[in-house]
């Protein structure tokens, strides 16, 4: 990056597109909770399919802004504080809410609750961990984002040492490291043995699939850090003509992928990287890169609208907490409203019961509660600052 860019505390465009991305994630999950996926509308399903690329966006942005000023252990410890501690705090709150719901109100057994909690805290809600003779994982909604946090942290544990080793050496070494990580993920994709683990796992999760994700995500972090060498995400580092041409190429790439990907193939979680065999992993990365650059190009105009810039930047800079909070809050609203269906565990949502009113209530209620959370958090921080002065 140029000197002026390095002096910035944050890159406005990156915060804005992260804000857009976290909104898409929230809408996607609330759509699932309120039943829009049961409509089987081809347009809606295509949008759901393609928006998985927004998950790639988070990894590319994280790799792009990574600087790593300390030692390997210092940087990993920093990621523990940034990722795992918030997850632990929110996870304890989610567990308390579920205890109230399932133990106090619905009178479920403590052993059943312990099974579910132990499994869900690993971040993989389909892993079949049994503490007793009961089937776990009926209470996994609030814990759904956990797999992403755990795998993001694991990916950083791979990415950080490699980044330190490669450093700012010749660009070819950075390309080689990125290709190596993608290659490892592709090898795990080839030798996945999930079909032999039916007695160990409830669903299509296996250790190989987790490794596909972790090494694939580490490759995405490396790719994000690699494009930083070309100032690719810095709109001010290039002439307008370059940005327009690159945006048009990205748009064309998005259109091709949107038309090509199947509904069942384009998902990051649990290793389902797409319908292109060995090429699924790099194609998914390329699709995410297209989406990322296109959104960054658009965001340079969005940031001129002060209200949008403020709102989206705030959402983007707090995307981790929004990711951890929104699912639990939305589920509680659906449960209280009486239109919650456990679609993740085989209970189909009746298409005729879907209504925009339920969707709207859940969206507004979730936004209000998250807004209240951030308001209280901001108030506490200000109080602490006043006391320290």
């Amino acid at each position: 990056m140029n000197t002026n860019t390095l002096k910035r505390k944050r890159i406005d465009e990156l915060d804005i597109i992260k804000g857009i991305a976290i909104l898409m994630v929230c809408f996607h999950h609330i759509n699932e909770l309120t039943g829009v996926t049961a409509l089987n509308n081809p347009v809606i399903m295509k949008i759901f399919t393609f928006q998985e690329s927004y998950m790639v966006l988070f990894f590319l942005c994280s790799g792009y802004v990574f600087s790593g000023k300390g030692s390997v252990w210092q940087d990993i410890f920093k990621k523990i504080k940034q990722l795992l501690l918030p997850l632990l705090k929110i996870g304890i709150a989610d567990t308390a809410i579920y205890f109230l719901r399932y133990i106090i109100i619905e009178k479920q057994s403590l052993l059943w609750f312990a099974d579910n909690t132990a499994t869900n805290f690993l971040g993989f809600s389909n892993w079949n961990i049994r503490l007793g003779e009961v089937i776990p994982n009926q209470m996994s909604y609030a814990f759904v984002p956990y797999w992403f946090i755990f795998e993001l942290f694991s990916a950083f544990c791979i990415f950080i040492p490699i980044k330190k080793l490669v450093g700012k050496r010749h660009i070819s070494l950075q390309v080689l490291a990125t290709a190596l990580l993608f290659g490892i993920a592709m090898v795990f994709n080839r030798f996945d043995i999930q079909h032999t683990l039916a007695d160990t796992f409830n669903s299509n999760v296996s250790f190989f699939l987790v490794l596909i994700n972790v090494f694939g995500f580490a490759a995405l972090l490396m790719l994000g850090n690699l494009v930083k060498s070309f100032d690719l995400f810095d709109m001010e580092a290039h002439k307008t003509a370059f940005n327009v041409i690159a945006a048009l190429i990205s748009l064309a790439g998005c259109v091709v992928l949107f038309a090509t990907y199947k509904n069942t193939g384009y998902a990051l979680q649990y290793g389902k990287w797409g319908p292109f065999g060995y090429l699924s992993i790099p194609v998914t990365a390329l699709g995410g890169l297209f989406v990322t650059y296109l959104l960054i190009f658009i965001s340079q105009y969005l940031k001129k609208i002060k209200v949008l810039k403020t709102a989206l930047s705030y959402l983007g800079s707090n995307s981790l907490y929004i990711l951890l909070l929104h699912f639990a809050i939305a589920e509680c609203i659906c449960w209280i409203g009486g239109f919650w269906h456990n679609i993740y565990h085989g209970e189909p949502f009746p298409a005729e019961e879907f209504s925009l009113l339920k969707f709207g209530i859940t969206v507004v209620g979730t936004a209000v509660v998250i807004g209240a959370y951030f308001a209280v958090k901001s108030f506490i921080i200000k109080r602490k600052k006043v006391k320290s002065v």
Side-chain angles (χ1 to χ4, degrees), residues 292-307:
T292 302
Y293 192 86
L294 188 59
L295 284 175
I296 287 173
F297 179 79
I298 295 171
S299 70
Q300 68 176 323
Y301 300 101
L302 292 180
K303 72 178 184 180
K304 295 179 181 179
I305 305 173
K306 189 173 181 180
V307 175

Side-chain angles (χ1 to χ4, degrees), residues 88 171 200 225 229 334 363 377:
L88 180 62
I171 198 72
T200 308
N225 203 257
S229 303
C334 290
V363 169
K377 185 179 178 182

Side-chain angles (χ1 to χ4, degrees), residues 319-386:
S319 58
L320 175 63
Y321 277 94
I322 295 173
L323 177 69
L324 289 171
L325 288 167
H326 79 280
F327 223 139
I329 295 168
E331 183 196 358
C332 285
I333 292 171
C334 290
W335 175 60
I336 293 169
F339 46 88
W340 178 75
H341 288 258
N342 203 343
I343 58 171
Y344 280 0
H345 299 284
E347 184 179 334
F349 198 108
E352 64 274 9
E353 290 190 15
F354 171 74
S355 73
L356 288 175
L357 178 61
K358 295 174 182 178
F359 176 75
I361 290 172
T362 309
V363 169
V364 172
T366 303
V368 168
V369 175
I370 290 178
Y373 170 84
F374 283 125
V376 171
K377 185 179 178 182
S378 177
F379 176 76
I380 293 173
I381 291 173
K382 287 180 181 178
R383 285 285 300 269
K384 288 182 177 179
K385 286 182 179 179
V386 170

